[in-house]
Amino acid sequence: MVRIILRGCNGRMGQEITRLCKSDGEIEIIAGTDLSSRFENPYPVYDSFLKIEEKGDVVVDFSSPAGLKEMLDYCISTKTPLVLCTTGLSEEDISLVKKASENIAILRSANMSMGINTMIKLIKEAAKMLGESGFDIEIVEKHHNQKVDAPSGTALLLADSMNEVLGGEYDYVYDRSAVREKRNEKEIGISAVRGGSIVGDHEVIFAGLDEVIEIKHIAYSRAILAKGAISAAKFIKEREPGLYNMQDVLASN
C-alpha cells in the first residue's frame, strides 16, 4: 500500500486522483493540502504542510508553483519522495527542485500521461532519423479556451525531447507573422490553438520533400493524467534520491 499526501486536492486534477484512488487497492490518500475547502474529501485537508499530522510514503503535487519551497522543505525534513506534476516553474523553482533531489527522490514531468510519454519515445527516434534527412519539424497543440499558458508545457516537453537528440541545435518559433522570411531548417515551429472544451491534443509533424509523417496524441479526459500520477507514486516510493521522469516509469513496467 502506498500512502500519499495530495497537494492541490480540491483542484480538478486533485479530485480526479481522489476518485481513482478509491478503486485502487494499492494506493490510499491519507491527507491533502489546499487553500480551497469547496469539496468534502474522505481524508483530512490542511491549508499548509506545516499542519500535516499524518506520515505519507509519497507527496503528489498537482497544484501551482506557489508554495513550492514549503512543500520541498516538508519532503526533505520528513524524507518523503515527491511526484511533481505542476507546470509553469521558473528557473529559480527548477533550481530548488534539483537541489532538493540531492536529498529525496523527485519525479517531475510536464505531462503524466503514459500515452504522451510513449509518444516522446517515438518522436525522439523519428527526429534522429528524419531531422538529419532534411525533414522540417512542427508541433501543433490544442487545448480548451480556459487554458492561460501557451504553448503548453507538453508541447515544450515534446520539443525539448527532440532537440535533445538533435544536439540542441534547433530554435523554437512560436509566431511567423512578424518576420517575412523562409523557414530556417534548424527550427521547430510550435503553434497553439485554444477553443471549446478540448482536453489536450498534441501533434508532431515531420514534413519532408513529397511526404509527411504525423505522430499524434489525443486526450479525451484528465483521467489519463491522474492514472499516470498514481503510477508515478507507486514507482517513486522507495527510490534513491535523484531526479526521475515518466520515461523511468515506462522503463520499469
Side-chain angles (χ1 to χ4, degrees), residues 32-234:
T33 71
D34 207 299
L35 296 179
S36 168
S37 58
R38 58 179 172 163
F39 295 111
E40 295 223 0
N41 296 292
Y43 48 81
V45 177
Y46 304 92
D47 60 9
S48 169
F49 274 89
L50 300 176
K51 299 178 181 179
I52 295 176
E53 301 175 356
E54 293 75 12
K55 177 64 176 80
D57 299 313
V58 180
V59 170
V60 176
D61 174 32
F62 249 121
S63 185
S64 72
L68 175 70
K69 187 176 185 305
E70 179 189 279
M71 177 180 64
L72 291 175
D73 288 344
Y74 170 86
C75 290
I76 292 171
S77 66
T78 58
K79 300 191 181 306
T80 307
L82 169 65
V83 175
L84 183 58
C85 311
T86 295
T87 59
L89 300 182
S90 67
E91 289 299 321
E92 182 180 353
D93 292 333
I94 294 171
S95 294
L96 288 174
V97 172
K98 289 180 179 178
K99 184 67 176 176
S101 71
E102 297 174 5
N103 298 283
I104 57 171
I106 299 179
L107 189 149
R108 175 176 173 249
S109 178
N111 191 303
M112 304 305 295
S113 160
M114 301 295 273
I116 280 287
N117 283 278
T118 300
M119 181 182 181
I120 288 172
K121 294 182 71 173
L122 296 174
I123 63 173
K124 288 173 77 170
E125 287 301 313
K128 280 192 289 188
M129 298 174 62
L130 302 175
E132 295 174 355
S133 301
F135 279 68
D136 296 322
I137 304 173
E138 293 281 325
I139 298 172
V140 179
E141 58 97 344
K142 304 173 186 176
H143 284 87
H144 53 85
N145 58 21
Q146 301 301 301
K147 186 172 180 61
V148 297
D149 58 319
S152 68
T154 300
L156 293 173
L157 175 63
L158 296 174
D160 289 344
S161 298
M162 292 186 289
N163 206 7
E164 179 185 347
V165 301
L166 293 169
E169 298 178 354
Y170 283 63
D171 296 319
Y172 303 161
V173 176
Y174 308 105
D175 182 10
R176 304 185 191 281
S177 64
V179 180
R180 295 181 60 83
E181 60 183 32
K182 69 176 186 178
R183 188 187 198 280
N184 189 301
E185 63 179 16
K186 294 290 188 180
E187 71 176 49
I188 298 176
I190 306 177
S191 303
V193 176
R194 297 289 175 266
S197 58
I198 302 171
V199 174
D201 187 324
H202 294 85
E203 181 177 16
V204 177
I205 303 165
F206 298 93
L209 185 62
D210 299 327
E211 59 182 334
V212 174
I213 298 172
E214 299 175 351
I215 301 177
K216 185 173 185 177
H217 177 272
I218 302 174
Y220 291 104
S221 81
R222 294 181 179 85
I224 61 171
L225 305 178
K227 290 175 184 176
I230 290 171
S231 295
K234 294 175 181 178

